[in-house]
Amino acid sequence: MPGRVAVLLVLVLLLFAGCGAFGGAERQTVTPVPVPEQSQDGRANPAVTGDTVDARELAAAHRRATRNRSYVLGIRLSLEWGTQIVSFVVEDGDNYEYRTEIVGQNYTKRVYNNGNRRYVYDERAEGAWTATRRPIPVSGVLDPDPARLIEAYLATNVSVERPRDDCDTCSVTLTATEPPPAFEPADNYSVRATVRPDGLVQSLTVSYWDRSRNSLVSYEIRYSAVGETTVSRPTWVRKHWGNATDSDPELSDSQRHAAVG
């Protein structure tokens, strides 16, 4: 029992670290570009073979499918303490914007990263507005990592639904109703995922009653505009820092007026 509790705690902490969902980050320009529909070797995603799903391989395929790709991502997590919402607008690994919010707790954080500078507004930070020359790639702020959640939640008996037989270019739907051992005791466990042929998990929804916490856990991720998203300097950055450029010295809230002037 202590071992199981330890594993569960680690997985739950992954969820707590920074989940959220839909809307929030400023909508960006959409520029269509070719989007591959199959894995690089031309075959359907090898993580889903017949009626068998390899959750670890699916997580790896998802990482490959989203690496250096543009997309819009919404994440939502609801637990006994409330609901957290996160939205990502990503052009590539170094150019992105995200917004996170804890509903009903007056907490919002915004980040714009363009590879040269990182602009942050954080209501809970002592210096709410900061602009540093220490940009962080999107992989460093994508927390929780959707791939880890895919691997954790689908590590159980999974049913595979295909639109028709032998369709290597069609998305498949995965469903599960039995919780993985690490999430027990859990009631009414329900997972549903849509997987593209290139391995990208376009959507994942999870819901179950956690008996150890006596609360409902609800979680969702959703990708859209894959390969069709660009990111530009958002309005909140332009309003706060005025004409300040990425080459200016580091800016803080105390330097705002000089920058705007």
Side-chain angles (χ1 to χ4, degrees):
M1 180 63 71
R4 174 177 293 177
V5 172
V7 173
L8 177 59
L9 178 60
V10 170
L11 291 172
V12 170
L13 287 175
L14 285 174
L15 302 182
F16 278 19
C19 300
F22 313 97
E26 190 170 309
R27 191 67 179 178
Q28 303 292 338
T29 305
V30 174
T31 306
V33 297
V35 180
E37 291 296 332
Q38 290 181 294
S39 55
Q40 292 182 353
D41 61 5
R43 299 175 301 164
N45 173 27
V48 183
T49 306
D51 294 329
T52 303
V53 177
D54 185 327
R56 179 172 296 180
E57 176 56 34
L58 181 58
H62 180 81
R63 287 192 179 98
R64 292 192 296 270
T66 54
R67 185 178 298 129
N68 294 324
R69 297 282 293 282
S70 67
Y71 54 82
V72 176
L73 169 62
I75 308 175
R76 184 183 199 98
L77 173 66
S78 296
L79 293 171
E80 74 275 8
W81 49 262
T83 298
Q84 190 169 2
I85 297 175
V86 178
S87 56
F88 283 87
V89 180
V90 179
E91 182 171 344
D92 55 44
D94 295 317
N95 295 272
Y96 62 87
E97 182 190 359
Y98 86 84
R99 179 181 188 273
T100 182
E101 171 189 4
I102 299 178
V103 178
Q105 296 188 26
N106 296 319
Y107 173 67
T108 301
K109 180 178 180 179
R110 293 177 179 269
V111 174
Y112 167 60
N113 194 97
N114 64 9
N116 297 315
R117 192 182 286 274
R118 174 179 168 85
Y119 298 87
V120 180
Y121 168 68
D122 188 341
E123 287 186 352
R124 291 186 179 177
E126 184 175 344
W129 299 89
T130 58
T132 75
R133 290 181 177 176
R134 296 184 295 275
I136 299 175
V138 69
S139 59
V141 297
L142 195 60
D143 189 6
D145 178 0
R148 289 189 178 187
L149 301 176
I150 291 164
E151 182 176 354
Y153 283 130
L154 291 173
T156 183
N157 294 325
V158 177
S159 298
V160 181
E161 179 183 340
R162 303 177 186 274
R164 60 181 184 273
D165 294 336
D166 301 322
C167 179
D168 288 344
T169 60
C170 298
S171 295
V172 298
T173 301
L174 311 180
T175 57
T177 57
E178 298 179 13
F183 287 98
E184 294 179 349
D187 296 325
N188 300 320
Y189 187 84
S190 175
V191 175
R192 184 179 182 88
T194 301
V195 184
R196 297 177 6 152
D198 59 2
L200 190 149
V201 178
Q202 192 157 8
S203 66
L204 174 72
T205 58
V206 178
S207 178
Y208 62 94
W209 184 263
D210 185 343
R211 279 190 277 160
S212 65
R213 318 177 88 87
N214 195 33
S215 68
L216 179 68
V217 175
S218 176
Y219 179 78
E220 183 175 1
I221 67 174
R222 183 172 64 234
Y223 285 83
S224 60
V226 178
E228 302 178 347
T229 303
T230 58
V231 177
S232 58
R233 196 178 183 92
T235 300
W236 63 270
V237 172
R238 295 197 305 269
K239 284 184 175 180
H240 190 82
W241 279 283
N243 297 323
T245 66
D246 295 338
S247 60
D248 287 341
E250 289 200 9
L251 303 173
S252 66
D253 199 35
S254 62
Q255 297 166 299
R256 175 190 178 189
H257 297 294
V260 173

